[in-house]
Amino acid sequence: MRSRYSRRDFLRTGVTLGAAAIVGRGSESMAAAPQSGATGAKRSGVFRAVSSGNGIRATDKAMELMRKGVDPLDAVIAGVNIVEDDPNDMSVGYGGLPNEDGVVELDASVMYGPTHASGAVAGIRNIKNPSKVAKLVMERTKHCLLVGNGALKFALAHGFPKENLLTEKAHEAWLRWKETMSDKDNWLPEQIKKMPEALQPVMMTHGTINCLALNEAGILAGVTTTSGLSYKLAGRVGDSPIIGAGLYVDNEIGAAGSTGLGEANIRTCASFQVVSFMGQGMSPEQACLKTLERVADKARRWPKSLGLTDDAGRPAFGLNFYALNAKGEFGAATMLGKAGYAVHDGRTNELRDCASLFKG
Ligand code: GLY
């Protein structure tokens, strides 16, 4: 029998019903925390918060909030907001070092284990807390990533204030960089030796904060936020807002995040790789080290002109991974030399040493 509905009618009805279902959930977001016991998550019975070395305040905050019943995603975002808001941390949010034009452009992503949902913004200007906007992208759009002006418009539409993110200190640092970068242009530096130390030219750096958390109910979540590579080309996007590179969460296995040279990480989908290795049975630390080995192996093939390897073909860039599995085991590793990472294991909040692939 011929259906009374054409395919178009069917699709239209389906869309209407789908929309009604979404509207029917009221203001509850698509990625809102499922009710306790309905997450599909296996109880871990422990609380953990893990962050990069600049995240000791973030792990403290995340733990405090999770213990009060706050969802792990909101807890890690509140944690990294402390660093985003801090004008003295020049690698993240307000006070972050600008691009080569002297403009601060921020990247951030979030990922939520129980729904496997993610959201991110890249190259966003004038918004102090890109991590909060990333969460809104996850909850209030059908997209995963908004960039540049679109990301700014979206944030403004949601009531975020437009702010000047370039602090006097970051502006001075940019000016020194500009003036001392080359002797073949028309910029003349001040007498560098007379400058206060804080205003001496700052080398290119890529700072970031990543924070991962697990609660007793077995919910994993993560966030990564950054001002990216200092003095980057305008529009350059690093790994932090790229799911699978700067952050990845699989609620059944674990979560991983990264700081360091974003380009190395994007080319190797490295956070996804860390989680995959944990899924194969490796400990978080082993998974981080094995992923660094893979990156180092690929780096040998990268063009010498990138300046990312030494004469022996060994990586000459910083890269760190942080990992937390669904049981609450954690670990971290760095490519070169020494680095620390922050861990709150439910009792103590402290900086620990990352394992190193190369001793430096
Ligand atoms: N990992 C931060 C960046 O490279 O942008």
Side-chain angles (χ1 to χ4, degrees):
M1 196 175 77
R2 206 177 129 84
S3 161
R4 284 197 300 132
Y5 289 99
S6 67
R7 180 175 154 75
R8 180 180 292 181
D9 286 336
F10 174 77
L11 283 176
R12 197 182 298 131
T13 311
V15 167
T16 311
L17 287 175
I22 289 170
V23 171
R25 286 206 295 258
S27 62
E28 183 193 330
S29 69
M30 282 190 289
Q35 291 303 301
S36 173
T39 62
K42 207 168 149 198
R43 270 187 70 76
S44 72
V46 295
F47 287 103
R48 298 279 188 267
V50 173
S51 184
S52 37
N54 53 349
I56 192 88
R57 289 174 293 168
T59 47
D60 203 41
K61 185 72 178 174
M63 186 59 67
E64 176 201 321
L65 292 176
M66 284 195 295
R67 285 202 175 287
K68 289 180 182 158
V70 173
D71 184 79
L73 183 56
D74 291 320
V76 289
I77 291 173
V80 300
N81 287 165
I82 298 170
V83 185
E84 285 177 335
D85 291 344
D86 180 355
N88 293 316
D89 188 309
M90 295 176 88
S91 67
V92 179
Y94 177 60
L97 287 169
N99 67 18
E100 67 173 2
D101 301 330
V103 179
V104 179
E105 291 186 331
L106 306 176
D107 300 336
S109 65
V110 299
M111 192 158 186
Y112 190 60
T115 52
H116 207 69
S118 68
V121 289
I124 190 169
R125 299 179 174 190
N126 300 113
I127 301 290
K128 214 183 217 177
N129 299 121
S131 57
K132 287 186 185 169
V133 188
K135 183 176 180 241
L136 273 181
V137 170
M138 178 178 88
E139 293 181 336
R140 304 286 287 272
T141 78
K142 295 182 178 178
H143 307 311
C144 291
L145 173 61
L146 295 180
V147 305
N149 255 337
L152 175 60
K153 269 173 62 181
F154 174 76
L156 296 176
H158 279 279
F160 282 78
K162 195 170 177 178
E163 295 176 77
N164 176 19
L165 303 183
L166 189 67
T167 57
E168 194 51 38
K169 191 171 152 194
H171 174 254
E172 287 289 345
W174 169 79
L175 195 58
R176 300 300 162 242
W177 168 77
K178 189 100 183 149
E179 289 177 338
T180 53
M181 185 169 50
S182 167
D183 56 9
K184 296 189 175 56
D185 61 24
N186 295 308
W187 292 82
L188 281 179
E190 256 186 287
Q191 289 287 311
I192 292 173
K193 287 203 182 88
K194 284 193 201 148
M195 291 177 204
E197 200 184 334
L199 302 184
Q200 299 274 329
V202 177
M203 300 300 289
M204 303 274 272
T205 58
H206 36 72
T208 300
I209 180 165
N210 164 251
C211 192
L212 311 169
L214 172 71
N215 71 2
E216 281 185 321
I219 293 178
L220 275 164
V223 59
T224 303
T225 177
T226 189
S227 54
L229 183 68
S230 57
Y231 320 130
K232 60 195 174 185
L233 299 191
R236 177 264 189 190
V237 173
D239 58 317
S240 303
I242 308 296
I243 293 299
L247 178 68
Y248 192 69
V249 180
D250 181 326
N251 215 72
E252 277 148 32
I253 302 173
S258 180
T259 60
L261 183 70
E263 281 75 5
N265 205 0
I266 292 173
R267 289 186 183 121
T268 53
C269 302
S271 288
F272 177 78
Q273 182 68 77
V274 173
V275 174
S276 297
F277 280 143
M278 289 196 288
Q280 290 166 27
M282 288 185 201
S283 71
E285 184 179 295
Q286 282 170 338
C288 292
L289 280 169
K290 188 79 186 158
T291 301
L292 285 169
E293 254 176 58
R294 285 247 170 129
V295 177
D297 185 45
K298 300 293 181 209
R300 284 180 230 289
R301 306 174 204 188
W302 293 340
K304 273 265 155 235
S305 56
L306 295 179
L308 295 178
T309 44
D310 64 17
D311 291 341
R314 215 174 74 155
F317 53 86
L319 192 61
N320 311 305
F321 295 116
Y322 315 96
L324 172 64
N325 71 19
K327 290 188 275 188
E329 295 162 341
F330 51 84
T334 187
M335 182 67 91
L336 286 172
K338 291 186 173 175
Y341 71 115
V343 178
H344 201 315
D345 64 5
R347 279 177 306 188
T348 314
N349 189 37
E350 61 184 353
L351 280 175
R352 300 182 181 221
D353 291 335
C354 296
S356 309
L357 186 62
F358 297 109
K359 298 297 167 209

